[in-house]
Amino acid sequence: MDLENQKRVKEAAEQYGPENVVVILGAAEGEASGLAAETVTAGDPTFAGPLTGVQLGLSVYHICEEEIKAEVDPDVYDEQVSMMEMVLDVDDIASEMSEIRSQYCKY
């Protein structure tokens, strides 16, 4: 997760309260999704950005996870995500995200 996005997430959590913020990721692989998820929950593991040492514990999901897919208008999901979903290892991504949530999410 780049430094600007870390800043935006931190500001949103401060403005609205971390219990009211859900982060939706769209990275193409489980490892990248896991790194971004860890950043918004446990703090920036690369020690380079605004979330270094900041444990927000935010709820975090990938757009292809069933919990999020069920919340999105099916036509919009089909138009915006379904092509990407066909080439992703959704099970790997979901497993990585679930592991991060179980370890670090507070909300």
Side-chain angles (χ1 to χ4, degrees):
M1 175 175 285
D2 69 28
L3 304 182
E4 187 61 33
N5 283 336
Q6 285 189 37
K7 180 181 170 194
R8 287 181 186 126
V9 168
K10 185 177 181 187
E11 288 172 350
E14 289 168 350
Q15 181 176 355
Y16 301 108
E19 69 279 5
N20 297 312
V21 176
V22 176
V23 178
I24 309 296
L25 303 173
E29 57 185 37
E31 187 175 338
S33 296
L35 183 61
E38 185 176 346
T39 299
V40 301
T41 55
D44 184 358
T46 66
F47 301 102
L51 293 178
T52 296
V54 179
Q55 297 180 358
L56 294 176
L58 300 178
S59 294
V60 60
Y61 293 87
H62 192 279
I63 188 65
C64 292
E65 288 187 273
E66 289 301 319
E67 297 92 334
I68 300 303
K69 188 174 179 178
E71 296 296 322
V72 176
D73 179 296
D75 292 333
V76 173
Y77 191 90
D78 187 50
E79 180 183 319
Q80 299 292 323
V81 183
S82 64
M83 291 292 283
M84 179 180 77
E85 185 181 32
M86 288 190 288
V87 298
L88 298 178
D89 185 345
V90 175
D91 291 337
D92 179 53
I93 291 169
S95 174
E96 184 76 22
M97 298 302 291
S98 178
E99 185 176 325
I100 295 294
R101 282 193 301 271
S102 70
Q103 288 180 347
Y104 303 116
C105 284
K106 298 177 188 175
Y107 307 99

